[in-house]
Amino acid sequence: CNLILTTAVNNSMGGGANGSITSTVGGGTAPYSYAWVSGQTTQDIFNLAQGVYFLTVTDTNGCTQQTNLQLIDPSPIVATATTTPPLCFGGNNASIDATVSGGTAPYNFSWSSGAITEDAFNLSAGNDTLTITDAQNCVLDLIVNVTQPAAIQIMMATTNIACFGTTTGAIDVTVTGGTPNYSYLWNTTATTQDLSALNIGQYILTVVDNNGCLDYSGNQIISEPALISFGTVPVDPSACGVADGTLDLSGLSASILYNGPALVIDWANS
Protein backbone atom coordinates (compact mmCIF):
# COMPACT_ATOMS: atom_id res chain seq x y z
CA CYS A 1 0.00 0.00 0.00
CA ASN A 2 1.24 3.45 -0.83
CA LEU A 3 -1.53 5.94 -0.05
CA ILE A 4 -0.58 9.61 -0.20
CA LEU A 5 -2.90 11.97 1.70
CA THR A 6 -2.68 15.76 1.58
CA THR A 7 -5.08 18.20 3.23
CA ALA A 8 -5.88 21.91 3.25
CA VAL A 9 -7.37 23.66 6.26
CA ASN A 10 -9.53 26.78 6.06
CA ASN A 11 -9.89 28.02 9.62
CA SER A 12 -13.22 29.31 10.86
CA MET A 13 -13.82 32.98 11.52
CA GLY A 14 -14.77 34.73 14.70
CA GLY A 15 -15.95 31.65 16.60
CA GLY A 16 -18.43 30.58 13.93
CA ALA A 17 -18.83 27.08 12.44
CA ASN A 18 -17.56 28.06 9.03
CA GLY A 19 -14.20 26.32 8.68
CA SER A 20 -13.46 23.54 6.18
CA ILE A 21 -10.96 20.75 5.42
CA THR A 22 -10.28 19.47 1.92
CA SER A 23 -8.29 16.30 1.24
CA THR A 24 -6.47 14.90 -1.79
CA VAL A 25 -5.54 11.21 -2.05
CA GLY A 26 -3.01 9.60 -4.36
CA GLY A 27 -1.47 6.12 -4.67
CA GLY A 28 -3.09 2.93 -3.52
CA THR A 29 -6.03 1.60 -5.51
CA ALA A 30 -9.14 3.69 -6.04
CA PRO A 31 -11.91 4.05 -5.12
CA TYR A 32 -11.25 5.36 -1.63
CA SER A 33 -13.48 5.57 1.40
CA TYR A 34 -13.30 8.31 4.00
CA ALA A 35 -14.05 8.11 7.67
CA TRP A 36 -13.93 11.19 9.89
CA VAL A 37 -14.05 10.73 13.63
CA SER A 38 -16.76 13.42 13.62
CA GLY A 39 -18.94 11.02 11.59
CA GLN A 40 -18.70 12.41 8.06
CA THR A 41 -17.81 10.05 5.21
CA THR A 42 -17.11 12.61 2.48
CA GLN A 43 -13.72 13.52 1.08
CA ASP A 44 -14.06 17.14 2.23
CA ILE A 45 -15.92 18.49 5.23
CA PHE A 46 -17.39 21.94 5.79
CA ASN A 47 -19.13 24.17 8.36
CA LEU A 48 -16.57 23.27 10.99
CA ALA A 49 -15.98 24.88 14.33
CA GLN A 50 -12.61 25.19 16.03
CA GLY A 51 -11.22 21.81 17.08
CA VAL A 52 -9.19 18.68 16.12
CA TYR A 53 -10.43 16.45 13.26
CA PHE A 54 -9.23 12.88 12.47
CA LEU A 55 -9.47 11.30 9.01
CA THR A 56 -8.90 7.70 7.93
CA VAL A 57 -8.69 6.95 4.20
CA THR A 58 -9.03 3.34 2.99
CA ASP A 59 -8.47 2.17 -0.59
CA THR A 60 -10.22 -0.75 -2.28
CA ASN A 61 -7.49 -3.15 -1.09
CA GLY A 62 -7.95 -2.18 2.55
CA CYS A 63 -4.81 -0.05 2.74
CA THR A 64 -5.26 2.90 5.13
CA GLN A 65 -3.74 6.28 5.80
CA GLN A 66 -4.62 8.48 8.76
CA THR A 67 -4.13 12.12 9.67
CA ASN A 68 -5.32 14.60 12.24
CA LEU A 69 -5.87 18.28 11.64
CA GLN A 70 -6.52 21.21 13.93
CA LEU A 71 -8.77 24.15 13.12
CA ILE A 72 -7.99 27.25 15.15
CA ASP A 73 -10.14 30.33 15.15
CA PRO A 74 -7.98 33.29 14.22
CA SER A 75 -8.17 36.23 16.57
CA PRO A 76 -10.80 38.78 15.50
CA ILE A 77 -9.77 41.70 13.32
CA VAL A 78 -9.04 44.74 15.46
CA ALA A 79 -8.68 48.22 13.98
CA THR A 80 -8.02 51.63 15.48
CA ALA A 81 -7.68 55.01 13.81
CA THR A 82 -6.03 58.35 14.54
CA THR A 83 -7.39 61.39 12.73
CA THR A 84 -5.74 64.63 11.70
CA PRO A 85 -8.43 67.27 11.09
CA PRO A 86 -8.37 69.71 8.17
CA LEU A 87 -6.46 72.89 8.86
CA CYS A 88 -9.45 75.14 8.19
CA PHE A 89 -13.21 74.91 8.42
CA GLY A 90 -14.49 73.38 5.19
CA GLY A 91 -11.00 72.17 4.20
CA ASN A 92 -10.21 68.84 2.53
CA ASN A 93 -6.73 68.07 3.82
CA ALA A 94 -7.66 65.82 6.74
CA SER A 95 -6.18 62.32 7.08
CA ILE A 96 -6.83 59.05 8.92
CA ASP A 97 -4.04 56.74 10.10
CA ALA A 98 -5.46 53.23 10.62
CA THR A 99 -3.77 50.36 12.47
CA VAL A 100 -5.01 46.79 11.92
CA SER A 101 -4.21 43.57 13.78
CA GLY A 102 -5.78 40.16 14.32
CA GLY A 103 -7.57 38.15 11.68
CA THR A 104 -5.42 36.57 8.98
CA ALA A 105 -3.06 38.78 7.01
CA PRO A 106 -2.82 40.09 4.37
CA TYR A 107 -5.68 42.56 4.51
CA ASN A 108 -7.61 44.40 1.82
CA PHE A 109 -8.82 47.94 2.55
CA SER A 110 -11.71 49.92 1.15
CA TRP A 111 -12.73 53.41 2.35
CA SER A 112 -16.14 54.87 1.69
CA SER A 113 -14.32 57.96 0.42
CA GLY A 114 -12.71 55.84 -2.31
CA ALA A 115 -9.21 55.00 -1.02
CA ILE A 116 -8.03 51.36 -1.06
CA THR A 117 -5.01 51.88 1.19
CA GLU A 118 -4.74 51.34 4.94
CA ASP A 119 -4.61 55.10 5.55
CA ALA A 120 -6.74 57.79 3.90
CA PHE A 121 -5.76 61.33 2.92
CA ASN A 122 -7.23 64.58 1.52
CA LEU A 123 -10.47 64.17 3.44
CA SER A 124 -13.18 66.59 4.47
CA ALA A 125 -14.86 66.54 7.86
CA GLY A 126 -17.49 63.86 8.45
CA ASN A 127 -17.78 60.09 8.80
CA ASP A 128 -15.63 57.76 6.72
CA THR A 129 -15.97 53.97 6.86
CA LEU A 130 -13.02 51.59 6.43
CA THR A 131 -13.93 48.05 5.36
CA ILE A 132 -11.16 45.55 6.20
CA THR A 133 -11.19 42.07 4.63
CA ASP A 134 -8.58 39.53 5.71
CA ALA A 135 -7.22 36.47 3.90
CA GLN A 136 -10.08 34.34 5.26
CA ASN A 137 -12.65 36.82 3.95
CA CYS A 138 -13.47 37.95 7.47
CA VAL A 139 -14.74 41.52 7.40
CA LEU A 140 -14.63 44.41 9.84
CA ASP A 141 -16.14 47.86 9.29
CA LEU A 142 -14.54 50.75 11.18
CA ILE A 143 -16.43 54.05 11.21
CA VAL A 144 -14.16 57.05 11.76
CA ASN A 145 -15.38 60.58 12.46
CA VAL A 146 -13.17 63.39 11.19
CA THR A 147 -13.72 66.69 12.99
CA GLN A 148 -12.76 70.18 11.87
CA PRO A 149 -12.07 73.56 13.48
CA ALA A 150 -15.02 75.88 13.89
CA ALA A 151 -15.39 78.63 11.32
CA ILE A 152 -13.67 81.90 12.22
CA GLN A 153 -16.23 84.43 13.44
CA ILE A 154 -15.46 88.16 13.65
CA MET A 155 -17.72 90.28 15.87
CA MET A 156 -17.34 94.05 15.99
CA ALA A 157 -18.70 96.78 18.23
CA THR A 158 -18.24 100.27 16.79
CA THR A 159 -18.22 103.60 18.60
CA ASN A 160 -18.96 106.58 16.36
CA ILE A 161 -17.28 109.96 16.76
CA ALA A 162 -18.88 112.09 19.48
CA CYS A 163 -18.23 115.57 18.06
CA PHE A 164 -17.71 116.84 14.55
CA GLY A 165 -14.06 117.08 13.59
CA THR A 166 -12.70 114.90 16.40
CA THR A 167 -11.13 111.42 16.25
CA THR A 168 -12.91 109.58 19.01
CA GLY A 169 -14.23 106.63 16.96
CA ALA A 170 -13.33 103.10 17.99
CA ILE A 171 -13.86 99.46 16.95
CA ASP A 172 -13.75 96.65 19.50
CA VAL A 173 -13.17 93.19 17.94
CA THR A 174 -13.93 89.70 19.29
CA VAL A 175 -12.78 86.63 17.33
CA THR A 176 -13.85 83.01 17.88
CA GLY A 177 -13.40 79.75 15.96
CA GLY A 178 -10.44 78.71 13.87
CA THR A 179 -7.23 77.86 15.70
CA PRO A 180 -5.78 80.52 18.03
CA ASN A 181 -3.56 82.50 18.06
CA TYR A 182 -4.82 85.12 15.61
CA SER A 183 -3.11 87.89 13.67
CA TYR A 184 -4.88 91.02 12.46
CA LEU A 185 -4.48 93.32 9.47
CA TRP A 186 -6.70 96.35 8.88
CA ASN A 187 -7.07 98.23 5.62
CA THR A 188 -5.33 101.08 7.42
CA THR A 189 -2.25 98.76 7.81
CA ALA A 190 -2.83 98.61 11.57
CA THR A 191 -2.12 95.16 13.05
CA THR A 192 -3.86 95.45 16.44
CA GLN A 193 -7.04 93.60 17.35
CA ASP A 194 -8.95 96.78 18.25
CA LEU A 195 -8.78 100.30 16.85
CA SER A 196 -9.20 103.62 18.66
CA ALA A 197 -8.82 107.35 17.96
CA LEU A 198 -10.51 106.84 14.59
CA ASN A 199 -11.62 109.42 12.06
CA ILE A 200 -14.63 108.95 9.85
CA GLY A 201 -14.26 106.25 7.20
CA GLN A 202 -14.63 102.57 6.29
CA TYR A 203 -12.60 99.95 8.13
CA ILE A 204 -12.05 96.34 7.00
CA LEU A 205 -10.26 93.66 9.04
CA THR A 206 -8.51 90.46 7.88
CA VAL A 207 -8.02 87.78 10.54
CA VAL A 208 -5.52 84.92 10.08
CA ASP A 209 -5.50 82.05 12.56
CA ASN A 210 -2.60 79.84 13.64
CA ASN A 211 -3.20 77.46 10.70
CA GLY A 212 -3.19 80.23 8.11
CA CYS A 213 -6.99 80.26 7.71
CA LEU A 214 -8.48 83.62 6.69
CA ASP A 215 -11.66 85.51 7.37
CA TYR A 216 -12.71 89.05 6.50
CA SER A 217 -15.01 91.47 8.24
CA GLY A 218 -17.57 93.53 6.39
CA ASN A 219 -17.14 97.28 6.04
CA GLN A 220 -17.31 98.97 9.41
CA ILE A 221 -18.30 102.63 8.99
CA ILE A 222 -17.32 105.21 11.55
CA SER A 223 -19.48 108.33 11.27
CA GLU A 224 -19.59 111.71 12.99
CA PRO A 225 -22.39 114.14 13.80
CA ALA A 226 -22.98 117.20 11.65
CA LEU A 227 -21.27 120.47 12.52
CA ILE A 228 -23.50 122.58 14.76
CA SER A 229 -24.48 125.66 12.70
CA PHE A 230 -27.08 128.41 13.16
CA GLY A 231 -27.89 132.01 12.29
CA THR A 232 -29.43 134.89 14.30
CA VAL A 233 -32.20 137.34 13.49
CA PRO A 234 -31.93 140.38 15.83
CA VAL A 235 -34.83 142.79 16.55
CA ASP A 236 -33.73 146.04 18.20
CA PRO A 237 -35.50 147.42 21.29
CA SER A 238 -38.45 149.71 20.50
CA ALA A 239 -36.86 152.64 22.37
CA CYS A 240 -33.76 153.48 24.27
CA GLY A 241 -33.83 151.89 27.65
CA VAL A 242 -36.69 149.58 26.77
CA ALA A 243 -35.79 145.89 27.13
CA ASP A 244 -38.02 144.51 24.39
CA GLY A 245 -35.41 143.54 21.80
CA THR A 246 -35.22 139.92 20.61
CA LEU A 247 -32.64 137.57 19.12
CA ASP A 248 -33.98 134.60 17.17
CA LEU A 249 -31.84 131.54 16.49
CA SER A 250 -32.54 129.94 13.13
CA GLY A 251 -31.17 127.07 11.09
CA LEU A 252 -29.92 125.03 14.03
CA SER A 253 -28.96 122.04 11.88
CA ALA A 254 -27.80 119.98 14.78
CA SER A 255 -31.34 119.81 16.08
CA ILE A 256 -31.89 117.03 13.54
CA LEU A 257 -28.44 115.54 12.90
CA TYR A 258 -26.75 115.91 16.24
CA ASN A 259 -26.67 112.63 18.22
CA GLY A 260 -24.42 113.64 21.07
CA PRO A 261 -25.27 115.06 24.50
CA ALA A 262 -28.14 117.52 24.87
CA LEU A 263 -27.39 120.96 23.44
CA VAL A 264 -26.92 123.79 25.92
CA ILE A 265 -27.32 127.36 24.66
CA ASP A 266 -25.48 129.90 26.83
CA TRP A 267 -26.64 133.48 26.38
CA ALA A 268 -24.39 136.35 27.34
CA ASN A 269 -25.67 139.94 27.55
CA SER A 270 -23.11 142.53 26.50
Side-chain angles (χ1 to χ4, degrees):
C1 299
N2 189 21
L3 282 175
I4 301 173
L5 174 62
T6 58
T7 56
V9 175
N10 183 19
N11 290 313
S12 59
M13 294 181 291
N18 48 25
S20 64
I21 301 174
T22 58
S23 62
T24 304
V25 181
T29 304
Y32 311 103
S33 62
Y34 303 87
W36 296 89
V37 170
S38 52
Q40 296 97 322
T41 57
T42 56
Q43 182 175 355
D44 305 322
I45 54 177
F46 303 92
N47 301 319
L48 305 177
Q50 175 177 275
V52 178
Y53 294 84
F54 296 88
L55 169 63
T56 300
V57 178
T58 305
D59 74 358
T60 194
N61 293 325
C63 299
T64 61
Q65 182 69 268
Q66 294 181 326
T67 187
N68 64 82
L69 305 132
Q70 185 174 16
L71 267 66
I72 301 174
D73 282 348
S75 59
I77 300 172
V78 176
T80 58
T82 302
T83 62
T84 301
L87 292 176
C88 304
F89 177 84
N92 60 354
N93 52 8
S95 63
I96 303 174
D97 179 18
T99 301
V100 180
S101 60
T104 305
Y107 311 102
N108 288 323
F109 305 96
S110 177
W111 291 91
S112 56
S113 55
I116 56 174
T117 54
E118 183 174 4
D119 303 325
F121 303 92
N122 301 320
L123 304 174
S124 301
N127 286 339
D128 205 349
T129 301
L130 171 61
T131 299
I132 305 162
T133 306
D134 74 358
Q136 299 287 346
N137 288 321
C138 301
V139 176
L140 174 71
D141 287 331
L142 177 68
I143 300 174
V144 183
N145 179 254
V146 177
T147 60
Q148 65 179 340
I152 298 174
Q153 299 286 338
I154 303 174
M155 292 157 284
M156 293 186 169
T158 59
T159 301
N160 287 319
I161 295 169
C163 301
F164 179 86
T166 63
T167 55
T168 57
I171 302 176
D172 180 67
V173 175
T174 301
V175 178
T176 60
T179 305
N181 295 321
Y182 309 106
S183 61
Y184 307 89
L185 179 61
W186 293 88
N187 60 330
T188 61
T189 72
T191 57
T192 55
Q193 180 174 352
D194 303 324
L195 295 180
S196 59
L198 297 179
N199 206 336
I200 61 171
Q202 295 185 357
Y203 296 86
I204 302 172
L205 173 63
T206 300
V207 175
V208 182
D209 75 359
N210 199 51
N211 287 340
C213 308
L214 301 174
D215 194 30
Y216 305 91
S217 71
N219 289 343
Q220 299 299 307
I221 299 175
I222 297 295
S223 62
E224 67 179 352
L227 175 66
I228 300 173
S229 60
F230 59 90
T232 60
V233 181
V235 177
D236 293 334
S238 60
C240 183
V242 178
D244 60 357
T246 63
L247 185 62
D248 178 48
L249 295 180
S250 63
L252 190 61
S253 63
S255 64
I256 298 175
L257 300 177
Y258 183 71
N259 61 1
L263 290 173
V264 177
I265 300 174
D266 184 15
W267 292 96
N269 185 16
S270 60

